[in-house]
Amino acid sequence: MLVKVYAAALQGINATQVTIEVNALRGIRFFLVGLPDNAVKESHERIRSALEFNGLKFPSKQIVVNMAPADIRKEGSAYDLPIAIGILAADGIVSSERLGKYMIMGELGLDGGLVPIKGALPIALKAAESGYDGIILPSENAAEAAVVNDIKVYAADNLMQVVRFLNGEAEIAPYIMDVEREFYSQQSDFEFDFSEVRGQESVKRAFEVAAAGGHNLIMIGPPGSGKSMMAKRLPSILPPLTLQESLETTKIHSVSGCLTGASLITRRPFRSPHHTISSVALVGGGANPKPGEISLAHNGVLFLDELPEFNRAVLEVMRQPLEDRKISVARANYKVEYPAGVMFVASMNPCPCGYYNHPTKACVCNPGQVQRYLNKISGPLLDRIDLQIEIVPVPFEKISDAREGEPSAAIRERVIAARKIQEERFKNEEGIHCNAQMTPKLLNRYADINDQCRSLLRTAMNRFNLSARAYDRIVKVARTIADLEASENIQSHHIAEAIGYRNLDRENWGT
């Protein structure tokens, strides 16, 4: 008897329908075809054990399982449940009448219990798009899949519960979740707040500008000057995620298996990988392709502490994603695309000993060592960072001051107001949400500068030997500074402040 069960395969952060055809013939062999990987091939033994544990007999027939389309590689153990249901249906134990109504996914334990899978959200989105009545998943994936309002989610704990449901012997109530209520109820206070930062007013201002326009930022300063501390507080002043951004971010974490029981990502991600990270772990890929750290930080912050300690090859692969806000990973066996719309924040010491330009401590590095240390960060990568700021140690008087600084909530209000101006400005521009994303065409349209600003920029370009990309960055930052002041036009003091955020340009620092 030939039966068909419907499942899905993950490709990047999206899912593709997979039809599992099972045919029971005369014989005693088991064939699994359709480009399965080793984890799928091993399903035979898990399914046999699960059936016998629950008093069901594995058919004494020749079982042929075909996973179509055969040109898409099937990976992981999430096909255990649909293959098991297909085998039981082909043997007449499960009714095939309702199989066409549902997409089924789940990993089986040896006792028939259902183990959670990766990618439940994109799979549920595909099921809804394909017009299924519902999707059958392990209970631990129910909340994640129920984010999709257009499909019923049936959560099961074990194989026999699914068998009885498909035979009409027992019902499973669809898992219901109010997405908007869940989204807003999970908004909570931040662990870190800018009110805890003493001094560093100019740096806090740079963070405000960066958050308001979605700009990349790098800090350079001696050890203990507060670089990492302030970076951790950046999410507290960023605008809240929209529901659409939340769903987009959740899809990425779902495919990576990083949700850890949460149904939605409701706060902007903050990812801070160690400097020993590989280029594949940073941008994604691998034998079984997964999103990298830069994609896991999508719609949030990617923070690289001690930037020169990262492998140069790792840093260079970031140049294209920072510009295009997406990553295309092409290998011999696959090609996937991951989103990478991040705020890139980095920190570094000014020299190997850390005390170059320090006001009180002497640097023991010679000029050549300082320059070689700075040269670990390539000029093209620095050009893609809008704000380059120098941090100096906080004096004792400010460290010992008991008064709190301005809280993150107050800064966040100004950032949100500036972002609303940008949302209105770019409402007809597809894929553009903030000033940092402006193309040269949009820059000419929305960031026009007067003669006085142009003269100031010309002087800076000539004096500091800035690149054409640096010119665009300065104008974008000036546009953001003007938005923070609710100014329709860019003024000369906006340009002057934006130029002041180019501290690390090669010709005027570290020589």
Side-chain angles (χ1 to χ4, degrees):
M1 179 179 177
L2 175 66
V3 297
K4 294 183 179 181
V5 182
Y6 299 97
L10 295 173
Q11 291 186 299
I13 62 169
N14 297 311
T16 301
Q17 178 175 298
V18 171
T19 302
I20 298 177
E21 301 174 313
V22 183
N23 198 10
L25 306 169
R26 292 182 64 183
I28 56 173
R29 299 187 65 184
F30 180 86
F31 296 95
L32 180 60
V33 296
L35 210 60
D37 72 350
N38 287 334
V40 181
K41 292 176 182 177
E42 291 169 354
S43 65
H44 176 228
E45 299 305 323
R46 290 192 294 270
I47 292 170
R48 180 184 292 275
S49 173
L51 294 182
E52 291 182 358
F53 188 89
N54 287 279
L56 300 173
K57 187 178 179 182
F58 195 91
S60 299
K61 299 177 181 179
Q62 179 170 293
I63 303 295
V64 181
V65 180
N66 178 44
M67 307 178 77
D71 60 338
I72 296 176
R73 187 165 182 80
K74 322 306 184 301
E75 299 169 342
S77 53
Y79 298 101
D80 291 358
L81 180 60
I83 292 174
I85 293 298
I87 291 172
L88 292 174
D91 198 36
I93 298 174
V94 169
S95 170
S96 59
E97 181 181 345
R98 304 173 70 180
L99 287 183
K101 297 180 180 180
Y102 307 104
M103 186 173 279
I104 304 173
M105 294 292 284
E107 177 184 342
L108 285 174
L110 296 183
D111 62 351
L114 291 183
V115 180
I117 63 172
K118 297 179 182 178
L121 177 55
I123 291 170
L125 288 167
K126 183 62 182 179
E129 178 188 324
S130 302
Y132 289 97
D133 288 353
I135 181 170
I136 301 173
L137 290 169
S139 295
E140 292 182 45
N141 293 118
E144 177 187 342
V147 168
V148 184
N149 290 324
D150 300 330
I151 194 165
K152 294 178 181 178
V153 177
Y154 296 94
D157 295 317
N158 53 65
L159 172 64
M160 293 308 298
Q161 194 175 357
V162 178
V163 170
R164 287 191 289 269
F165 172 71
L166 292 173
N167 284 336
E169 299 170 0
E171 287 300 315
I172 300 176
Y175 189 97
I176 304 297
M177 186 177 73
D178 187 332
V179 178
E180 291 200 5
R181 182 179 178 183
E182 182 78 7
F183 174 68
Y184 291 111
S185 68
Q186 291 188 30
Q187 299 282 353
S188 58
D189 295 334
F190 292 92
E191 182 180 358
F192 304 108
D193 196 281
F194 269 103
S195 63
E196 301 156 353
V197 179
R198 302 288 187 268
Q200 303 291 20
E201 301 304 326
S202 62
V203 183
K204 284 195 245 181
R205 167 66 176 177
F207 270 84
E208 181 179 339
V209 172
H215 301 288
N216 301 327
L217 178 147
I218 186 170
M219 300 168 281
I220 183 166
S225 55
K227 302 186 294 295
S228 301
M229 179 182 71
M230 282 187 280
K232 291 176 182 178
R233 283 155 178 76
L234 178 57
S236 69
I237 63 172
L238 289 173
L241 281 172
T242 64
L243 185 55
Q244 183 60 38
E245 287 176 329
S246 176
L247 290 171
E248 192 176 52
T249 306
T250 304
K251 278 178 68 176
I252 301 170
H253 286 249
S254 172
V255 168
S256 300
C258 300
L259 280 182
T260 61
S263 57
L264 271 175
I265 301 293
T266 59
R267 290 165 59 176
R268 295 192 181 273
F270 181 88
R271 306 291 296 191
S272 181
H274 193 260
H275 65 260
T276 55
I277 191 172
S278 67
S279 55
V280 171
L282 184 65
V283 301
N288 298 323
K290 289 178 60 178
E293 286 291 328
I294 193 170
S295 295
L296 292 171
H298 181 62
N299 290 322
V301 178
L302 177 68
F303 175 52
L304 301 189
D305 199 8
E306 302 299 342
L307 192 65
E309 302 303 325
F310 284 78
N311 187 294
R312 176 136 185 172
V314 172
L315 296 181
E316 293 308 299
V317 299
M318 293 182 57
R319 285 158 57 175
Q320 179 264 336
L322 288 179
E323 197 75 18
D324 298 340
R325 304 180 67 80
K326 62 182 179 181
I327 294 173
S328 296
V329 181
R331 298 291 184 268
N333 299 325
Y334 64 83
K335 181 178 180 181
V336 295
E337 188 173 281
Y338 297 120
V342 302
M343 266 190 71
F344 175 55
V345 178
S347 70
M348 61 183 288
N349 292 331
C351 66
C353 79
Y355 295 108
Y356 182 79
N357 276 357
H358 194 283
T360 59
K361 295 186 179 182
C363 174
V364 298
C365 307
N366 62 49
Q369 287 177 308
V370 175
Q371 199 59 46
R372 281 194 298 273
Y373 189 78
L374 293 175
N375 285 339
K376 291 183 178 181
I377 314 301
S378 69
L381 180 59
L382 276 179
D383 269 352
R384 287 167 169 81
I385 301 176
D386 303 352
L387 288 85
Q388 307 166 358
I389 55 176
E390 185 176 2
I391 298 182
V392 296
V394 181
F396 173 78
E397 291 74 15
K398 290 193 175 180
I399 293 177
S400 59
D401 192 345
R403 291 174 297 178
E404 289 190 344
E406 186 178 27
S408 292
I411 303 173
R412 196 185 201 196
E413 285 182 11
R414 296 195 294 269
V415 168
I416 292 173
R419 285 289 184 104
K420 285 182 179 178
I421 293 173
Q422 294 164 50
E423 287 174 13
E424 181 63 25
R425 176 183 299 137
F426 304 125
K427 63 182 179 181
N428 297 321
E429 309 293 343
E430 187 176 354
I432 307 295
H433 307 289
C434 58
N435 290 333
Q437 300 170 3
M438 281 193 288
T439 62
K441 182 179 178 180
L442 295 178
L443 201 62
N444 292 331
R445 184 184 304 168
Y446 299 118
D448 190 28
I449 56 176
N450 57 34
D451 291 339
Q452 187 179 5
C453 295
R454 195 169 288 109
S455 175
L456 187 60
L457 260 175
R458 184 184 299 111
T459 301
M461 293 286 291
N462 293 333
R463 181 177 178 185
F464 302 139
N465 194 24
L466 301 178
S467 67
R469 185 179 281 113
Y471 173 91
D472 287 350
R473 304 287 173 183
I474 290 171
V475 177
K476 288 179 183 179
V477 172
R479 177 68 270 174
T480 298
I481 296 169
D483 289 342
L484 283 167
E485 295 181 5
S487 173
E488 184 175 348
N489 299 314
I490 298 175
Q491 305 296 330
S492 58
H493 67 279
H494 301 146
I495 291 288
E497 183 178 350
I499 292 171
Y501 294 133
R502 302 297 302 182
N503 286 356
L504 293 188
D505 283 305
R506 293 292 179 189
E507 299 299 323
N508 73 318
W509 204 95
T511 57

